[in-house]
Amino acid sequence: MAQPDSKKIFFENLSGAGKAIAVLTSGGDAQGMNAAVRAVVRMGLYVGAKVYFIHEGYQGMVDGGDNIEEASWESVSSMLQVGGTVIGSARCKEFRSHEGRLQAAHNLVQRGITNLCVIGGDGSLTGANLFREEWSGLLKELVEKGLIEADAVERYAALHIVGMVGSIDNDFCGTDMTIGTDSALHRIIEVVDAIMTTAQSHQRTFVLEVMGRHCGYLALVSALACGADWVLIPEMPPEDGWEEKMCQKLSANRAGMKRLNIIIVAEGAIDRNNKAITTEYIKNLVVKHLGFDTRVTILGHVQRGGTPSAFDRILASRMGVEAVLALLETTADTPACVVSLCGNQSVRLPLMECVQMTQEVQKAMDQKRFEEAVKLRGRSFENNLRTYKLLAHRKPESELPVSNFNVAVLNVGAPAAGMNAAVRSAVRVGISEGHKMFAVNDGFEGFYKGQIKEVKWSDVGGWTGQGGSLLGTKRTLPAKHADKIAEQMRKYNINALLVIGGFEALESLLQLYEVRTTYEEFCIPMCMLPATISNNVPGTALSIGADTALNAIVETCDRIKQSASGTKRRVFIIETMGGYCGYLATVGGLAAGADAAYIYEEPFDIRDLQANVEHLTEKMKTSIQRGLVLRNENSNDNYTTDFIYQLYSEEGKGVFDCRKNVLGHMQQGGAPSPFDRNFGTKMSAKAMQWLSKKLLETYRRGRVFANSEDSCCLLGMLGRTLVFQPVVTLKDHTDFIHRIPKEQWWLKLRPLMKILAKYKTSYDVSDSGQIEHVIHTRPKESDASVAM
């Protein structure tokens, strides 16, 4: 536990005693809203506040009565994995009128509610801010009408508002990701992956319409994640004459032996004259000019449905807890705010600043200032668009720069979903930069055996959605074979190296850096991209592949918990992978609603195990039917999964029974999630541009020579920023025996998991969000949400 004099401990500094918090969901529904509601309720109860549901959004607030219901701990059980919003949402005309807001204020005051947590879109949040501004006037009016006592005006003087953006469209400025966006991308990519198989069978062209109203985020990111041939979004309409260019592109792809074409259209897509571009128009265009067998698929509300992804559950849980903190810390002078996550940091933004910037985007589009509209959407959107253009539209050979540099790319370590997306991105960006790209099969083992071949643009087509490693990957380290690898580098004149992998990749680059004094062949720019499901590489908060593994864990936990539905009380013990790193167990536990997660980084003994059993026994005496315990595979040599299972089985006799499950290699398999496809694609593009820059900097007298520390780097996400860090400097931050970083950011999430599972624990809020201004949320040279 952190020391109170150096860190601010939550329950010692803040109390919700005597406060009443109400939570509502308004506007369109979005997957993950229930996770946010659950977090608000449980965190609110944890700090001693009264918490209320407001059913049916603002309509329920106006109607009052049973629509405003006090929440209990058990009332949000089994809610985490449910899509939509359990407490309901509705459009409300009455709340737009003064009389409706007056009635809503009366209903809140009757229950002593002066803290509102609103989960919705910009319209819902704007309505909440207006309600807050009118609050004191509304109370005075209620006194004049004799509906409340005069002293209530002073007692309930200020209404505090904190918002969370729940919208699949991701159209709210100031936030990197809104609740529901990642889940919507999952639905889109599931459909696209399924369509691609039938399209390939029949040599078809598919035109897909995705949601997003006036925001092209879903269309753009899904196009990037599936390698679509063409994408149409409202923020950047195509240039005049785009129809001919699109048909030329589709025709060229077919001529290149590609059997299918995918065109993704945002529902609000427009041309440069603000005229709508419809899927039917595109279909008729392709049929008329190319004669291709073309089909239209409109995904519609499928995108809103289904189970929330792991990302959305974690996002919503963290934002829900942060919203309660913000409500407890707010004063009468504090502006209504929106809570968000920027990179891995909590952020609180003035609500109306975000709303105004969101409205500015639409104004810019209406006035045909499209470049400005893209910038106003934020750096993440801008980078997505830039990366898509870089990867999807190949320049003619005559327009490509000629660099005369050869760049090799290889995978090292265990396979991780998203590796193939990273390789595809590296190859295509490298070719666009004028390099010759070489692929190495089977890691450094294949390198010293000469399994190296040049790869062309079309060779990596369709790789984005493929799981595993199509190049092959081995754990072999290069030190023992440095002479043979150096020989192959001379043979193929390799001038730069991109290594994609986990902890072995880091060790490999360290070894290559150390042998530079012996072999000049390794005096070249080298870059590593962290790709491992374990997320155990120092120098980065996230690794390619970890999100896909988390989704596999969460989906399995959902099914396992569901298997106990209707049976007697049961506790499930689940073993996850990760080596000595407890990331998957901890974050998977938070996303799946686990009661405990045993990891190596947080030592535990028999007393802890006993306390957990007793805790579960108490919970099982209420209406809660199921318990979930995760254990990282190397958390303890003696307290094995079998031991914990047997202990829980014995101690829980008469109250609950136990089941165990070892998830194993299913966590490494499957198609990569949209997050990992996008993360791998954008990270790799950035790495290749860095390598190109280093090649030019280090090219002297007809050769490349780079032996400085900063020419051998790892690209990782730290806080809100993507950073290139010399691998040598990471040695001091690494526990090489256990293959983990010495400090891990996600350990701060463990108290959240315990609080939401009804444990009393300390919670460090020293880095909780502070009010910032929208224009300051992203550092100039970063992409805070590179993955999304």
Side-chain angles (χ1 to χ4, degrees):
M1 187 197 302
Q3 295 300 312
D5 58 350
S6 62
K7 294 280 187 182
K8 191 162 80 172
I9 302 302
F10 173 69
F11 67 86
E12 293 174 359
N13 288 272
L14 295 170
S15 172
K19 294 197 175 186
I21 298 171
V23 57
L24 69 146
T25 55
S26 177
D29 64 307
Q31 309 97 317
M33 278 184 164
N34 291 322
V37 170
R38 171 181 177 267
V40 169
V41 169
R42 292 195 166 177
M43 191 64 175
L45 293 173
Y46 178 83
V47 301
K50 271 190 173 183
V51 186
Y52 292 85
F53 294 132
I54 298 179
H55 295 279
E56 311 306 333
Y58 287 116
Q59 189 67 56
M61 194 188 295
V62 173
D63 294 344
D66 293 340
N67 287 305
I68 303 177
E69 174 196 6
E70 189 169 350
S72 67
W73 196 275
E74 289 74 27
S75 62
V76 291
S77 295
S78 303
M79 186 187 274
L80 192 61
Q81 67 271 23
V82 180
T85 167
V86 169
I87 61 174
S89 180
R91 310 285 179 186
C92 180
K93 288 184 180 178
E94 290 94 327
F95 190 76
R96 294 177 185 174
S97 68
H98 180 79
E99 291 73 20
R101 292 192 291 277
L102 185 68
Q103 183 60 46
H106 185 219
N107 290 329
L108 294 185
V109 169
Q110 282 182 314
R111 293 164 179 81
I113 298 169
T114 56
N115 296 280
L116 274 186
C117 183
V118 181
I119 308 167
D122 59 341
S124 303
L125 297 177
T126 303
N129 190 66
L130 175 63
F131 191 38
R132 172 183 171 275
E133 289 173 347
E134 292 182 345
W135 181 256
S136 59
L138 293 171
L139 293 194
K140 287 175 185 174
E141 200 172 330
L142 289 170
V143 171
E144 289 168 5
K145 292 188 175 185
L147 294 172
I148 62 173
E149 299 295 326
D151 66 343
V153 175
E154 188 176 338
R155 205 178 333 142
Y156 307 120
L159 178 67
H160 305 300
I161 302 283
V162 172
M164 286 183 274
V165 189
S167 166
I168 68 167
D169 302 339
N170 202 32
D171 59 351
F172 195 78
C173 291
T175 60
D176 289 330
M177 283 287 279
T178 57
I179 296 169
T181 303
D182 186 66
S183 300
L185 285 170
H186 273 257
R187 301 295 95 79
I188 294 167
I189 293 305
E190 284 164 12
V191 171
V192 172
D193 285 352
I195 278 176
M196 286 176 96
T197 56
T198 182
Q200 195 150 13
S201 301
H202 297 278
Q203 295 196 56
R204 280 185 178 142
T205 295
F206 269 88
V207 185
L208 275 77
E209 180 184 287
V210 301
M211 293 178 87
R213 289 189 302 175
H214 306 297
C215 179
Y217 184 87
L218 289 178
L220 178 57
V221 174
S222 55
L224 196 56
C226 72
D229 297 276
W230 202 268
V231 65
L232 292 156
I233 59 172
E235 291 87 350
M236 186 52 69
E239 300 287 346
D240 293 341
W242 64 272
E243 294 95 338
E244 186 180 345
K245 288 180 182 176
M246 185 185 75
C247 289
Q248 286 174 353
K249 169 92 183 291
L250 300 180
S251 181
N253 284 349
R254 284 292 177 93
M257 304 305 291
K258 188 175 179 181
R259 292 177 58 85
L260 75 155
N261 301 113
I262 300 287
I263 302 166
I264 296 183
V265 187
E267 62 180 343
I270 52 175
D271 63 17
R272 291 270 157 179
N273 299 309
N274 283 338
K275 181 184 174 185
I277 299 175
T278 65
T279 50
E280 273 306 310
Y281 176 73
I282 295 168
K283 175 190 172 182
N284 294 336
L285 188 70
V286 174
V287 171
K288 180 181 176 182
H289 287 272
L290 300 174
F292 291 171
D293 186 2
T294 306
R295 299 284 190 274
V296 169
T297 299
I298 297 174
L299 299 189
H301 283 73
V302 165
Q303 296 156 89
R304 284 196 189 280
T307 305
S309 65
F311 183 98
D312 272 329
R313 298 185 198 194
I314 296 158
L315 176 72
S317 297
R318 292 182 70 183
M319 287 170 69
V321 169
E322 184 66 27
V324 174
L325 287 178
L327 283 171
L328 295 182
E329 293 174 354
T330 194
T331 66
D333 300 324
T334 307
C337 74
V338 174
V339 298
S340 176
L341 287 176
C342 186
N344 276 313
Q345 293 180 344
S346 299
V347 180
R348 298 178 195 172
L349 304 166
L351 189 154
M352 291 315 294
E353 279 189 24
C354 297
V355 170
Q356 285 160 11
M357 186 172 280
T358 302
Q359 292 169 350
E360 282 297 318
V361 178
Q362 190 57 51
K363 281 182 189 174
M365 288 160 59
D366 291 342
Q367 295 169 10
K368 301 182 183 180
R369 293 181 283 117
F370 299 114
E371 295 284 350
E372 187 179 338
V374 169
K375 286 182 180 176
L376 286 168
R377 283 278 182 230
R379 273 191 100 76
S380 181
F381 190 95
E382 209 175 347
N383 286 351
N384 278 317
L385 184 57
R386 191 183 304 117
T387 307
Y388 176 78
K389 287 178 177 177
L390 199 59
L391 297 174
H393 302 292
R394 185 182 182 184
K395 292 179 182 177
E397 295 286 342
S398 57
E399 292 181 24
L400 290 175
V402 180
S403 71
N404 295 319
F405 293 128
N406 295 345
V407 181
V409 58
L410 67 159
N411 296 333
V412 176
M419 278 182 163
N420 296 321
V423 171
R424 169 185 175 268
S425 178
V427 168
R428 292 197 168 180
V429 173
I431 290 171
S432 296
E433 300 270 320
H435 310 319
K436 273 190 178 179
M437 297 300 298
F438 290 83
V440 182
N441 294 110
D442 296 336
F444 283 106
E445 185 173 315
F447 211 136
Y448 80 78
K449 290 179 178 177
Q451 295 171 214
I452 305 166
K453 64 176 181 180
E454 186 180 352
V455 278
K456 301 288 188 181
W457 185 280
S458 59
D459 294 337
V460 291
W463 280 35
T464 313
Q466 298 289 317
S469 167
L470 293 173
L471 286 185
T473 181
K474 294 282 182 73
R475 295 180 184 271
T476 308
L477 298 178
K480 291 182 180 178
H481 312 284
D483 55 340
K484 293 180 181 176
I485 295 171
E487 183 183 326
Q488 295 296 334
M489 293 185 78
R490 282 195 303 275
K491 180 179 176 181
Y492 289 93
N493 189 28
I494 302 299
N495 306 119
L497 203 58
L498 179 65
V499 181
I500 304 165
F503 204 86
E504 291 89 354
L506 175 66
E507 291 179 304
S508 297
L509 252 65
L510 282 168
Q511 289 181 0
L512 293 180
Y513 177 80
E514 287 165 4
V515 298
R516 276 177 166 179
T517 53
T518 309
Y519 301 97
E520 282 195 0
E521 289 79 6
F522 301 119
C523 292
I524 58 173
M526 294 186 276
C527 186
M528 173 197 162
L529 296 182
T532 167
I533 69 164
S534 304
N535 199 30
N536 63 332
V537 178
T540 187
L542 296 171
S543 299
I544 299 164
D547 183 72
T548 305
L550 278 176
N551 277 289
I553 291 167
V554 168
E555 287 168 17
T556 306
C557 287
D558 285 352
R559 291 180 185 180
I560 286 171
K561 282 168 39 177
Q562 190 182 46
S563 73
S565 181
T567 66
K568 60 182 180 178
R569 295 180 176 91
R570 183 164 286 168
V571 174
F572 296 94
I573 316 293
I574 311 292
E575 182 183 299
T576 66
M577 293 177 79
Y580 285 96
C581 181
Y583 175 81
L584 291 179
T586 295
V587 182
L590 180 61
D595 295 278
Y598 300 119
I599 63 171
Y600 168 78
E601 292 92 342
E602 193 174 284
F604 59 96
D605 57 25
I606 194 69
R607 290 181 293 275
D608 297 308
L609 293 169
Q610 183 64 36
N612 293 149
V613 173
E614 290 170 1
H615 182 80
L616 272 166
T617 301
E618 283 301 310
K619 285 178 72 174
M620 290 290 179
K621 288 177 182 175
T622 65
S623 60
I624 293 173
Q625 298 284 318
R626 289 157 288 180
L628 181 67
V629 175
L630 272 62
R631 177 188 175 273
N632 171 240
E633 59 185 349
N634 289 345
S635 56
N636 190 290
D637 290 338
N638 297 311
Y639 300 134
T640 62
T641 302
D642 283 334
F643 178 91
I644 294 172
Y645 163 70
Q646 288 166 4
L647 175 71
Y648 272 68
S649 297
E650 181 61 30
E651 296 297 319
K653 270 184 181 176
V655 180
F656 60 81
D657 65 359
C658 273
R659 295 290 184 273
K660 64 177 178 177
N661 196 299
V662 178
L663 300 186
H665 283 76
M666 64 164 288
Q667 295 158 86
Q668 280 185 342
S673 67
F675 187 104
D676 279 327
R677 297 182 194 201
N678 203 344
F679 195 35
T681 297
K682 289 167 73 175
M683 288 271 281
S684 193
K686 193 172 183 75
M688 281 305 304
Q689 288 168 337
W690 179 84
L691 285 173
S692 295
K693 182 183 172 187
K694 286 291 179 186
L695 282 166
L696 292 173
E697 287 176 1
T698 57
Y699 184 72
R700 297 287 183 277
R701 297 173 185 170
R703 59 172 291 199
V704 173
F705 185 83
N707 64 349
S708 60
E709 286 185 2
D710 66 356
S711 64
C712 184
C713 286
L714 174 146
L715 175 59
M717 190 164 85
L718 295 180
R720 308 182 193 187
T721 313
L722 275 179
V723 183
F724 288 95
Q725 304 150 87
V727 292
V728 175
T729 63
L730 296 175
K731 288 171 76 173
D732 292 337
H733 302 282
T734 307
D735 175 354
F736 283 94
I737 295 172
H738 298 101
R739 298 159 59 85
I740 56 175
K742 289 180 180 176
E743 290 186 11
Q744 307 198 74
W745 68 272
W746 51 264
L747 287 170
K748 289 186 178 182
L749 299 182
R750 288 185 63 76
L752 296 192
M753 184 188 71
K754 291 176 183 177
I755 287 168
L756 298 178
K758 213 174 182 178
Y759 285 91
K760 280 292 176 185
T761 185
S762 58
Y763 180 49
D764 174 11
V765 295
S766 59
D767 63 347
S768 66
Q770 302 299 320
I771 288 282
E772 300 184 14
H773 293 286
V774 178
I775 56 172
H776 295 145
T777 57
R778 292 176 181 83
K780 287 184 180 178
E781 295 302 322
S782 74
D783 178 7
S785 184
V786 63
M788 282 296 170

